């Protein structure tokens, strides 16, 4: 066990090894202390790699969220990815993904709408349309329709956006 901890510490001392260090720490904790100790191990890893300057805080929280998700700990994943997104809005895709897995579709719709309002980027426009499609609304709210209209004006030549929008519209017609 001591050898494993030494290997984990060596891995965690380098940027390229820190992710493997987390994996070793999680597997070791599961074996030695049981699954209930893993959240503390993950939180400790985040603190250690951020303090050492190996990984930016948002990225460390996103990695923690992905690790929690792999373990089936969806609520912990959402918490970690929420922190990651608040620190770095570029974490939107990861955060929305876990919200969709958890079927928190309203939260995902609100998040992508707010992000699009703030950033007006094509990626959040695509995600907004994808979330609304998954949510399966027969009609869009006035707010969502206004955002989509704006996105069409701003990103109306972006093929993935237009394809996602066509899927949304086709699904709405099927619901009529």
């Amino acid at each position: 066990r001591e050898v494993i901890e030494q290997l984990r510490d060596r891995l965690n001392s380098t940027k390229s090894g820190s992710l493997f260090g987390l994996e070793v720490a999680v597997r070791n904790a599961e074996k030695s202390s049981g699954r209930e100790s893993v959240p503390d191990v993950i939180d400790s890893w985040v603190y250690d790699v951020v303090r050492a300057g190996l990984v930016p805080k948002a990225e460390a929280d996103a990695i923690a969220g992905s690790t929690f998700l792999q373990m089936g700990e969806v609520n912990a994943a959402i918490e970690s990815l929420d922190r990651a997104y608040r620190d770095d809005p570029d974490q939107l895709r990861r955060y929305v993904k876990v919200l969709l897995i958890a079927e928190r579709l309203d939260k995902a719709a609100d998040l992508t709408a707010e992000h699009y309002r703030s950033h007006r980027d094509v990626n959040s426009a695509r995600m907004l349309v994808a979330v609304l499609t998954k949510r399966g609304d027969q009609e869009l709210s006035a707010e969502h329709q206004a955002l989509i209209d704006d996105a069409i004006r701003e990103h109306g030549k972006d093929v993935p956006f237009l394809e996602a929008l066509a899927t949304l519209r086709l699904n709405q017609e099927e619901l009529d």
Side-chain angles (χ1 to χ4, degrees), residues 8-27:
R8 179 205 61 212
D9 291 344
R10 280 189 172 201
L11 287 166
N12 282 340
S13 70
T14 66
K15 182 176 180 155
S16 62
S18 62
L19 186 56
F20 299 111
L22 173 61
E23 185 178 333
V24 167
V26 166
R27 288 184 11 214

Side-chain angles (χ1 to χ4, degrees), residues 109-110 113-114 117 128 132 140-149:
D110 292 345
E114 180 58 38
R117 259 193 304 281
L128 173 61
L132 294 174
L140 298 179
S141 69
E143 174 193 7
H144 288 145
Q145 187 59 58
L147 291 171
I148 288 175
D149 290 344

Side-chain angles (χ1 to χ4, degrees), residues 8-88:
R8 179 205 61 212
D9 291 344
R10 280 189 172 201
L11 287 166
N12 282 340
S13 70
T14 66
K15 182 176 180 155
S16 62
S18 62
L19 186 56
F20 299 111
L22 173 61
E23 185 178 333
V24 167
V26 166
R27 288 184 11 214
N28 187 44
E30 285 179 325
K31 256 185 161 173
S32 64
S33 306
R35 194 172 176 94
E36 61 278 349
S37 67
V38 172
D40 291 336
V41 168
I42 294 170
D43 290 341
S44 177
W45 176 86
V46 168
Y47 176 80
D48 291 344
V49 296
V50 170
R51 190 188 71 217
L54 298 173
V55 180
K57 174 96 170 71
E59 184 65 20
D61 281 329
I63 291 168
S66 296
T67 303
F68 281 125
L69 188 59
Q70 288 172 354
M71 296 176 55
E73 299 290 335
V74 177
N75 290 331
I78 289 171
E79 289 175 22
S80 292
L81 287 160
D82 180 64
R83 284 192 305 272
Y85 175 72
R86 280 187 274 126
D87 287 343
D88 179 7

Side-chain angles (χ1 to χ4, degrees), residues 102-120:
E103 300 209 9
R104 296 195 183 167
L105 304 179
D106 291 339
K107 172 71 175 163
D110 292 345
L111 179 68
T112 54
E114 180 58 38
H115 189 94
Y116 182 75
R117 259 193 304 281
S118 298
H119 299 274
R120 300 174 58 87

